[in-house]
Amino acid sequence: MYLMNKRLHHKIAQFTDASAIKAKGLYPYFRAIESGQDTEVIIGGKRVLMFGSNSYLGLTDHPKIKEAAKKAIDKYGTGCAGSRFLNGTLDIHVELESRLASYVGKQAAILFSTGFQVNLGVLSCITGRNDYLILDEQDHASIIDGCRLSFSRVIKYAHNDMRDLKRRLSMLPEEAVKLIVVDGIFSMEGDIVKLPEMVAIADQYGANIMIDDAHSLGVIGHHGSGTASHFNLTDQVDLITGTFSKSLASLGGFAAGDAETIDYLKHKARSLMFSASMPPSAVASVLAALDVIESEPERIEKLWKNTRYAVQLMLAEGFDLGITESPILPIYIRDHDKTFLATKYLLDMGVFVNPVVSPAVPPEASLLRFSLMATHSFTQIEEAVEKIAIVFKKTGVVSAKEKNTMQGIGHYNS
Amino acid sequence: MIYPQHLCYTTGHQWVSLEAQYAFMGITDFGQRELGHIVAVDIPYLNKTLERNKFLGSIEAVHAVLDLFMPFSGVITEINPDMLKYPGLINRDPYDMWIIKILVPLIDNENLLLTADEYHALVSQ
């Protein structure tokens, strides 16, 4: 009998990107942390300053939230053993949904087990075959993948370019359902969607708006309730989605909107219906995190103070921060290899930042993603910025300041 | 006259209170006294992005009008509804009666706002 070759391994072996970086000793991913997620973590037995976290409010170590998670385990156990649709709904799931709905200013909300699953579930079912999903080219991977599962046509517009959005909407048939799906705060660039302009364009062309508030919750808006609230345009945004894995100190996600839409999602979103529900400890953590956000509003204030302080120090060093408007500070290096090298040197010196390289961004836009937490101290920020400046000199990263001086177009008094 | 230390000021008699990513803006005690009894406030640019120093609206008093200008580039996201209903409240409590809420840019290389002392010196001239 003729035996065909098994080809999977050969195919997998063609992928050499990761091993190439490992060979250089610069591999910056899956770094194991041996402590809690705080402003200082332990990696390889060494103290490292954490500037790569999405825990913007620094709540993952909050005693009230940890206590709530423990209590929930004692009462409900460690898992739900089924999907929300069937046996996996607890009273605290329902409580959290109504809490989230009123937090973001919508009629109803539905929980998913991760933020990624929210976008997969919602986008795969919310529009039909002759409809349109309109995306910002920098939207998160979960939005892209959700659209891949949809039968609708997908159109992308240039990043945060409202003229391009308008041009593309103007070419679509009037009778089609049109849904603009956009990140509130963009996770790598740190800029915020131009919502006031978008709302005006959406009204003109009969488009609905869905905002992914993954990085906006706890950061912008009234009590950190997100992008729509930030611009005071909650009624003009149809759907708000979010995750609990960033400011809200847990894991899971939600979609919020009018009661009818949420009911539709409950019966159509497959990532909801066919996956086990959020475990009790995670649900209780989010409820407690919302309590803390409400009772300790100074945290958001401190997050922004830290952000402004870091920006001030970095601009004084001449770093190129692009167009950020949030605690996500992209420090542009604009060179693939130097980005990896700088990340490695910084870790050696005790500073954790995330390298962002192609394909996540174009090669000429490689950057270090530096994100602030409310719990950072000014001293920690000073130490990190100083060390980044040293590493930039060492790796030959030309900071914006030097570049301008070299080209003779800018003049800084420092 | 009172010039609270925690506020920033403009040469156009506006005060600005920076709170996280937002700023509230109103007019100063000096400004409201100069104007006299305020009868109307007109802000035509809600939800619009305006550049620094651009005209954003005006305050009308019985005998005078004061034009307001953007203290920095940003979006006006809210106009104080209480103030719109009873503009005269600005005269009674100028630092409590904010007029607009603006989103503050994170990267702003040119801070032209005055401190309380600088503003005080300006209006004492």
Side-chain angles (χ1 to χ4, degrees):
Chain A
M1 192 174 71
Y2 172 69
L3 295 176
M4 288 195 236
N5 279 327
K6 298 190 179 185
R7 299 189 187 273
L8 179 62
H9 189 76
H10 177 71
K11 192 245 162 222
I12 298 294
Q14 316 243 308
F15 173 73
T16 54
D17 294 4
S19 49
I21 306 166
K22 280 179 190 166
K24 289 185 193 162
L26 296 178
Y27 187 71
Y29 306 116
F30 296 97
R31 290 176 272 183
I33 293 168
E34 298 140 21
S35 64
Q37 282 276 357
D38 215 332
T39 56
E40 288 185 16
V41 298
I42 305 292
I43 295 178
K46 272 174 46 190
R47 161 192 170 271
V48 175
L49 283 177
M50 175 50 82
F51 282 97
S53 173
N54 297 313
S55 176
Y56 301 113
L57 296 178
L59 293 180
T60 51
D61 198 39
H62 197 288
K64 281 185 190 161
I65 298 173
K66 290 201 282 194
E67 188 54 36
K70 287 175 197 165
K71 275 196 178 140
I73 290 178
D74 287 340
K75 179 168 179 187
Y76 299 97
T78 52
C80 293
S83 94
R84 292 293 311 284
F85 193 56
L86 298 171
N87 60 307
T89 293
L90 298 172
D91 52 1
I92 49 173
H93 286 120
V94 181
E95 183 190 341
L96 178 55
E97 283 168 348
S98 83
R99 185 78 185 272
L100 285 164
S102 63
Y103 181 53
V104 300
K106 291 288 160 198
Q107 279 178 350
I110 173 74
L111 299 180
F112 288 70
S113 302
T114 72
F116 202 104
Q117 286 184 5
V118 177
N119 287 334
L120 284 190
V122 171
L123 293 172
S124 59
C125 73
I126 198 155
T127 52
R129 203 167 280 280
N130 296 312
D131 302 333
Y132 292 87
L133 293 164
I134 301 114
L135 313 185
D136 185 294
E137 63 180 352
Q138 296 293 348
D139 275 351
H140 188 257
S142 57
I143 294 177
I144 309 295
D145 287 7
C147 291
R148 283 186 186 166
L149 294 176
S150 165
F151 291 110
S152 302
R153 278 170 248 193
V154 179
I155 290 175
K156 286 187 190 170
Y157 61 90
H159 177 52
N160 228 351
D161 182 340
M162 293 301 119
R163 280 176 58 187
D164 193 35
L165 170 66
K166 184 172 177 164
R167 190 176 65 82
R168 287 173 193 273
L169 275 176
S170 70
M171 297 187 290
L172 303 183
E174 189 171 351
E175 63 282 5
V177 177
K178 285 155 260 178
L179 178 65
I180 303 168
V181 188
V182 70
D183 288 6
I185 292 179
F186 289 89
S187 59
M188 298 298 152
E189 297 82 357
D191 51 337
I192 302 175
V193 60
K194 293 196 171 84
L195 192 60
E197 289 87 345
M198 177 178 281
V199 161
I201 295 168
D203 283 349
Q204 187 182 351
Y205 292 101
N208 294 85
I209 298 177
M210 166 173 153
I211 293 190
D212 180 343
D213 262 343
H215 294 271
S216 329
L217 290 175
V219 177
I220 55 174
H222 179 67
H223 280 302
S225 59
T227 312
S229 159
H230 178 68
F231 289 106
N232 203 22
L233 290 169
T234 301
D235 292 343
Q236 283 77 11
V237 173
D238 301 278
L239 270 169
I240 295 173
T241 66
T243 177
F244 307 136
S245 55
K246 307 197 191 306
S247 290
L248 292 167
S250 184
L251 181 69
F254 73 99
D258 65 278
E260 236 175 337
T261 305
I262 297 306
D263 199 52
Y264 173 87
L265 292 175
K266 280 177 158 177
H267 300 93
K268 288 283 185 184
R270 291 162 63 89
S271 68
L272 167 80
M273 298 166 71
F274 297 96
S275 81
S277 57
M278 281 175 72
S281 56
V283 179
S285 304
V286 180
L287 281 166
L290 289 171
D291 286 340
V292 170
I293 290 174
E294 256 164 49
S295 63
E296 300 176 15
E298 63 276 13
R299 279 183 181 265
I300 296 178
E301 195 73 32
K302 182 69 188 349
L303 172 65
W304 280 92
K305 273 193 187 132
N306 283 347
T307 303
R308 288 184 188 283
Y309 188 59
V311 165
Q312 184 197 325
L313 294 183
M314 289 183 185
L315 291 180
E317 287 291 347
F319 297 174
D320 173 4
L321 298 181
I323 46 171
T324 184
E325 299 170 272
S326 71
I328 299 170
L329 304 184
I331 310 173
Y332 285 91
I333 292 187
R334 304 192 186 281
D335 180 296
H336 187 269
D337 293 343
K338 284 178 186 171
T339 304
F340 281 124
L341 204 57
T343 308
K344 167 77 166 61
Y345 286 158
L346 280 168
L347 185 63
D348 292 345
M349 290 170 74
V351 179
F352 189 111
V353 291
N354 287 308
V356 181
V357 296
S358 110
V361 292
E364 71 280 7
S366 312
L367 59 93
L368 295 180
R369 183 184 185 277
F370 182 100
S371 49
L372 278 307
M373 297 162 76
T375 40
H376 280 129
S377 68
F378 276 15
T379 322
Q380 288 174 323
I381 296 169
E382 285 159 12
E383 184 184 337
V385 175
E386 249 165 60
K387 287 181 172 170
I388 295 171
I390 293 170
V391 164
F392 278 9
K393 285 211 181 79
K394 193 167 158 186
T395 48
V397 172
V398 185
S399 68
K401 181 162 60 177
E402 294 162 41
K403 216 184 259 173
N404 284 345
T405 321
M406 273 159 45
Q407 294 169 353
I409 47 172
H411 190 75
Y412 287 77
N413 300 314
S414 57
Chain B
M1 256 172 282
I2 316 159
Y3 309 104
Q5 283 294 327
H6 68 282
L7 300 175
C8 303
Y9 299 84
T10 72
T11 53
H13 310 296
Q14 298 161 203
W15 58 261
V16 177
S17 153
L18 293 162
E19 291 182 15
Q21 69 273 47
Y22 310 110
F24 292 90
M25 199 202 80
I27 63 163
T28 62
D29 200 11
F30 180 88
Q32 68 84 16
R33 281 191 204 201
E34 288 288 295
L35 272 173
H37 183 61
I38 294 167
V39 290
V41 175
D42 179 34
I43 312 284
Y45 297 113
L46 181 63
N47 288 329
K48 292 280 186 295
T49 308
L50 294 178
E51 298 291 311
R52 182 200 307 280
N53 294 333
K54 281 279 177 309
F55 172 79
L56 70 89
S58 54
I59 302 183
E60 198 184 319
V62 178
H63 297 296
V65 173
L66 176 69
D67 285 344
L68 300 173
F69 300 94
M70 288 295 279
F72 32 69
S73 308
V75 185
I76 300 175
T77 60
E78 227 175 310
I79 302 169
N80 187 350
D82 297 337
M83 182 277 312
L84 279 183
K85 219 184 276 170
Y86 308 107
L89 289 175
I90 297 173
N91 294 113
R92 196 191 297 172
D93 199 348
Y95 297 112
D96 201 36
M97 252 324 113
W98 56 276
I99 297 170
I100 54 168
K101 185 173 157 188
I102 319 170
L103 298 180
V104 185
L106 181 58
I107 298 185
D108 189 4
N109 297 316
E110 210 187 345
N111 184 356
L112 300 176
L113 296 175
L114 308 176
T115 64
D117 294 339
E118 287 166 345
Y119 179 70
H120 189 188
L122 178 85
V123 296
S124 315
Q125 278 169 13

